[in-house]
Amino acid sequence: MATYYNEPSHTFSEYLLIPGYTDENCRPENVVLTTPLVKYRKGKEECPLKLNIPLVSAIMQSVSNDTLAIALAKQGGISFIYGSQSVESEAAMVARVKNHKAGFVVSDSNLTPDSTLSDVLELVARTGHSTIAVTDDGTCSGKLLGLITSRDYRVSRMNGSALVKDFMTPFNDLITAPENTDLSSANDIIWEHKINQLPIIDKDGRLLYLVFRKDYEEHKDHPQEILDKGKRLLVGAGINTLDYEKRVPKLIEAGADVLCIDSSEGYSCWQKKTIDYIRKNYGDKVKVGAGNVVDRDGFLFLAEAGADFVKVGIGGGSICITREQKGIGRGQATALIDVVAARDEYFEKTGVYIPVCSDGGIVHDYHMTLALAMGADFIMLGRYFARFDESPTTKLNVKGTYVKEYWGEGSNRARNWQRYDLGGKKGLSFEEGVDSYVPYAGHLADNVAKSLYKVKSTMCNCGVTDIPSLHEKARMTLVSATSIVEGGSHDVILKNSDTLNFNS
């Protein structure tokens, strides 16, 4: 007969944390949120990839492009660029993130000397970048002939047909540096000559990179940013279990620091085949996460298959309707608790610590703290990040309220059938996600700072100042439906209520 779990599965909203002893050190500014991203021998070696904050963005078209990846990496988290696009397009997004902040930026705004002022204005409007490299062939690697910045032209006093070569700052008037210049030296040159950008050129005068004064300032403003050994932002990328032989090499070549198999259900031979391919061709140098699973068996399967981290959650996302369509899934809190127990069991047996990522089910900020307290090492978020300026979707005004579009990878709009397919080669048979709006929330940095301050404050209430201590010391209680109601405002008339009427 079938196996039955007599206990119901629970969501985060059905739990509360019990306060612990708060000493003088338990203040938000003392809380450290550093957390491992990939597996390692805990107690014997350093984790090769760490996050400075326990947040990663979901592998979704409406969430994780290069713009959001840059913004999140500056805050200390990492994005997984969505894989439901061409290999070339995904690799290009990865490359843009890696090139954004090496300090050495590959120019994405380039023209020839025979281009016009109209071309300049169109390029600035399209890219948002005011520095344009003028090269012999109009590419980012052509021979550098000059630069254009906003100081080189005045729209009100010039004709749109004016040629670039007549108003650019020519090469002979530029300060440049050779290709072996390191970032520290480049910044010294920028400050010494009081310039805003420094072209790095090779021995033949071909443009390699631009180093910007603003990047140095930005680094000081983002002390939590996560960088590789070359001082480039970290970025992840999503792959599927069908075209991985073509996709993985391109993503690694583009500079992806970590990969993740994007699948609605990870307890499958297809995930093992994908990991086997990576291990055979790259050994342990290429890091790859797998999932999603909801129980001990699923975790142990992926652990033995060689996953560097394991994602937990099926059907808990705000746009996911897998449970409605297929009757598959588990309450996110229960799934996480079960998988974490298996993670700890595996560590005790092997000495290898495999980080667990909680994916889905986060509705309120305090759910983040609960997920971490239940043993998650980091949290994958879709809806949360889709609300911000940096996400790739359109900001709209709907009935007087600003919103952003947000759709599931299993929706007809995304048509990401690879994520849900069971090894065949066919289209999307039925939808497992919806197309929706989320309330617009502004800049990523502001919202992440606010959310994580809440997490830090709650951790202090639990008497801990780091995530491993939270794993060990957190105490939780299930709550009844009545106590959930009690936890919100009740039995009062809210001042901003539309129904306020003292005469009734």
Side-chain angles (χ1 to χ4, degrees):
M1 63 179 289
T3 299
Y4 292 89
Y5 293 84
N6 293 323
E7 289 293 321
S9 62
H10 298 285
T11 65
F12 292 132
S13 291
E14 296 175 81
Y15 283 88
L16 286 175
L17 284 157
I18 303 297
Y21 172 67
T22 303
D23 61 26
E24 292 181 353
N25 185 55
C26 288
R27 299 192 302 270
E29 61 268 25
N30 292 336
V31 174
V32 176
L33 295 178
T34 303
T35 192
L37 176 61
V38 297
K39 69 181 178 184
Y40 67 111
R41 292 192 173 276
K42 190 175 180 180
K44 295 184 178 180
E45 63 183 12
E46 282 290 313
C47 180
L49 282 178
K50 294 181 180 179
L51 302 173
N52 287 332
I53 62 172
L55 305 182
V56 304
S57 67
I59 311 169
M60 301 177 70
Q61 295 174 16
S62 55
V63 179
S64 294
N65 68 342
D66 50 309
T67 306
L68 190 125
I70 290 168
L72 182 53
K74 287 180 179 180
Q75 299 307 311
I78 197 170
S79 292
F80 287 88
I81 302 296
Y82 68 92
S84 51
Q85 58 180 317
S86 72
V87 176
E88 293 74 20
S89 178
E90 185 181 8
M93 284 191 181
V94 169
R96 284 197 289 272
V97 179
K98 300 305 293 184
N99 290 327
H100 172 82
K101 187 72 165 53
F104 298 93
V105 179
V106 175
S107 175
D108 68 351
S109 299
N110 311 286
L111 292 172
T112 67
D114 293 325
S115 301
T116 65
L117 177 60
S118 294
D119 295 326
V120 171
L121 299 178
E122 187 277 329
L123 189 57
V124 171
R126 176 157 50 86
T127 66
H129 299 157
S130 59
T131 298
I132 298 172
V134 183
T135 60
D136 60 346
D137 58 3
T139 70
C140 63
S141 58
K143 186 172 183 179
L144 183 64
L145 302 178
L147 281 183
I148 299 172
T149 70
S150 57
R151 294 181 298 181
D152 291 311
Y153 59 87
R154 293 187 66 178
V155 177
S156 61
R157 297 189 179 185
M158 295 172 63
N159 192 293
S161 60
L163 296 179
V164 161
K165 62 185 177 184
D166 294 328
F167 61 87
M168 70 181 185
T169 300
F171 179 82
N172 289 339
D173 293 340
L174 295 175
I175 303 296
T176 63
E179 58 184 306
N180 60 352
T181 305
D182 61 33
L183 186 57
S184 177
S185 299
N187 283 318
D188 288 342
I189 294 171
I190 287 173
W191 285 96
E192 178 184 350
H193 293 277
K194 298 180 180 180
I195 54 179
N196 290 322
Q197 59 278 316
L198 176 70
I200 307 296
I201 58 175
D202 67 14
K203 59 183 176 59
D204 298 318
R206 304 185 74 82
L207 179 62
L208 299 174
Y209 307 103
L210 295 171
V211 179
F212 292 93
R213 175 193 292 258
K214 67 179 178 63
D215 283 345
Y216 178 79
E217 297 293 337
E218 282 186 9
H219 177 66
K220 293 194 298 185
D221 292 337
H222 301 99
Q224 287 284 88
E225 65 183 356
I226 50 174
L227 306 173
D228 63 17
K229 293 180 180 179
K231 297 192 180 300
R232 301 178 301 173
L233 294 174
L234 294 187
V235 62
I239 60 175
N240 62 62
T241 58
L242 290 174
D243 68 359
Y244 54 86
E245 293 185 13
K246 177 182 179 183
R247 192 171 294 266
V248 169
K250 292 291 186 182
L251 295 176
I252 297 305
E253 181 182 352
D257 298 283
V258 58
L259 306 175
C260 185
I261 303 171
D262 181 29
S263 175
S264 62
E265 202 280 295
Y267 191 4
S268 74
C269 62
W270 315 112
Q271 296 234 343
K272 186 178 186 306
K273 288 182 178 181
T274 304
I275 297 172
D276 285 345
Y277 165 82
I278 292 173
R279 295 292 173 249
K280 178 181 178 181
N281 290 276
Y282 300 95
D284 292 328
K285 291 188 296 183
V286 171
K287 308 301 181 183
V288 56
N292 287 18
V293 298
V294 294
D295 67 355
R296 175 183 183 276
D297 292 344
F299 172 86
L300 293 177
F301 171 80
L302 292 177
E304 293 295 341
D308 286 292
F309 66 84
V310 174
K311 286 205 296 154
V312 179
I314 295 177
S318 60
I319 40 68
C320 183
I321 54 173
T322 293
R323 297 179 192 175
E324 290 182 11
Q325 293 281 51
K326 298 168 69 175
I328 290 286
R330 199 177 194 187
Q332 186 66 12
T334 299
L336 183 57
I337 291 168
D338 197 9
V339 169
V340 164
R343 186 267 316 280
D344 294 344
E345 173 189 331
Y346 187 83
F347 170 65
E348 290 297 325
K349 178 181 177 182
T350 66
V352 176
Y353 185 88
I354 301 178
V356 166
C357 170
S358 180
D359 179 16
I362 302 293
V363 180
H364 307 291
D365 285 348
Y366 82 89
H367 288 170
M368 296 180 186
T369 319
L370 283 169
L372 295 172
M374 291 173 181
D377 296 281
F378 55 96
I379 304 157
M380 181 169 277
L381 301 160
R383 180 195 61 85
Y384 179 84
F385 287 116
R387 304 173 301 146
F388 303 148
D389 287 313
E390 294 83 357
S391 75
T393 61
T394 305
K395 176 184 172 184
L396 304 170
N397 189 318
V398 177
K399 297 181 180 180
T401 300
Y402 282 106
V403 297
K404 294 203 76 177
E405 295 179 294
Y406 180 47
W407 58 91
E409 288 299 290
S411 68
N412 194 53
R413 178 172 182 172
R415 302 205 64 78
N416 184 12
W417 60 271
Q418 297 97 328
R419 187 176 197 271
Y420 298 85
D421 181 68
L422 297 178
K425 296 184 181 297
K426 58 183 179 180
L428 197 66
S429 300
F430 57 90
E431 293 186 83
E432 293 187 44
V434 299
D435 199 339
S436 65
Y437 298 123
V438 288
Y440 168 69
H443 293 305
L444 179 146
D446 297 335
N447 285 276
V448 166
K450 183 177 180 180
S451 296
L452 292 183
Y453 190 86
K454 292 180 186 178
V455 171
K456 291 178 179 180
S457 180
T458 305
M459 288 172 64
C460 289
N461 292 144
C462 294
V464 299
T465 56
D466 57 49
I467 293 174
S469 298
L470 183 64
H471 288 173
E472 179 184 349
K473 298 181 180 180
R475 299 183 298 158
M476 277 164 283
T477 181
L478 276 167
V479 294
S480 68
T482 304
S483 62
I484 292 175
V485 174
E486 180 186 62
S489 60
H490 58 90
D491 301 316
V492 295
I493 301 172
L494 299 180
K495 288 186 177 180
N496 62 354
S497 173
D498 294 332
T499 60
L500 186 64
N501 184 352
F502 288 107
N503 295 319
S504 60

